[in-house]
Amino acid sequence: MRRDVFQAIADPTRRAIILLIASQAMTPNAIAEHFDITRQAVSKHLKILTECQLVKQEQAGREIFYQLDGAKIQEIDKWLEEFKKIWESRFNELDKVLLTLKNNKL
């Protein structure tokens, strides 16, 4: 089953893992230390994030380090940008209405 990136980021633990590894690559054990869940649960979350190409694995000796894949995050940001434009437009219209109401009260 191919996982959807939005299903992956819907989970709060996976979002927290993404934030955690955004600044530096980490091993699953190092990641697990930041959560009150088992190492196996962290591995399951990392597997899902890897399948969605949100994180990359890098082998260093016997250790596997996970790091954020910026390209996939940029795809999400690009998709969200359209919604930002819509909301900015709506807020600008609201500002105009509020300014008109304020001026009419004076």
Side-chain angles (χ1 to χ4, degrees), residues 86-96:
I86 291 168
W87 282 105
E88 285 177 10
S89 172
R90 289 181 179 178
F91 283 129
N92 288 338
E93 290 299 318
L94 180 59
D95 284 343
K96 289 176 188 176

Side-chain angles (χ1 to χ4, degrees), residues 56-89:
K56 298 186 275 189
Q57 298 177 358
E58 188 173 305
Q59 189 85 31
R62 295 184 344 185
E63 295 286 346
I64 296 175
F65 286 84
Y66 288 85
Q67 60 187 4
L68 190 62
D69 186 343
K72 198 56 131 174
I73 295 296
Q74 286 176 340
E75 285 181 33
I76 296 168
D77 186 53
K78 185 177 178 182
W79 184 81
L80 288 173
E81 187 62 36
E82 294 303 315
F83 292 98
K84 290 177 192 174
K85 290 176 186 175
I86 291 168
W87 282 105
E88 285 177 10
S89 172

Side-chain angles (χ1 to χ4, degrees), residues 29-74:
N29 286 334
I31 294 168
E33 291 175 4
H34 294 272
F35 298 94
D36 196 23
I37 58 176
T38 65
R39 161 69 170 74
Q40 289 79 15
V42 168
S43 290
K44 181 180 174 185
H45 287 299
L46 288 169
K47 180 181 179 201
I48 292 168
L49 292 170
T50 303
E51 287 174 0
C52 294
Q53 300 173 336
L54 285 167
V55 299
K56 298 186 275 189
Q57 298 177 358
E58 188 173 305
Q59 189 85 31
R62 295 184 344 185
E63 295 286 346
I64 296 175
F65 286 84
Y66 288 85
Q67 60 187 4
L68 190 62
D69 186 343
K72 198 56 131 174
I73 295 296
Q74 286 176 340

Side-chain angles (χ1 to χ4, degrees), residues 1-10 14 48 51-52 54:
M1 177 174 91
R2 177 125 169 93
R3 296 190 190 272
D4 181 81
V5 68
F6 294 102
Q7 289 173 327
I9 62 174
R14 288 193 285 272
I48 292 168
E51 287 174 0
C52 294
L54 285 167

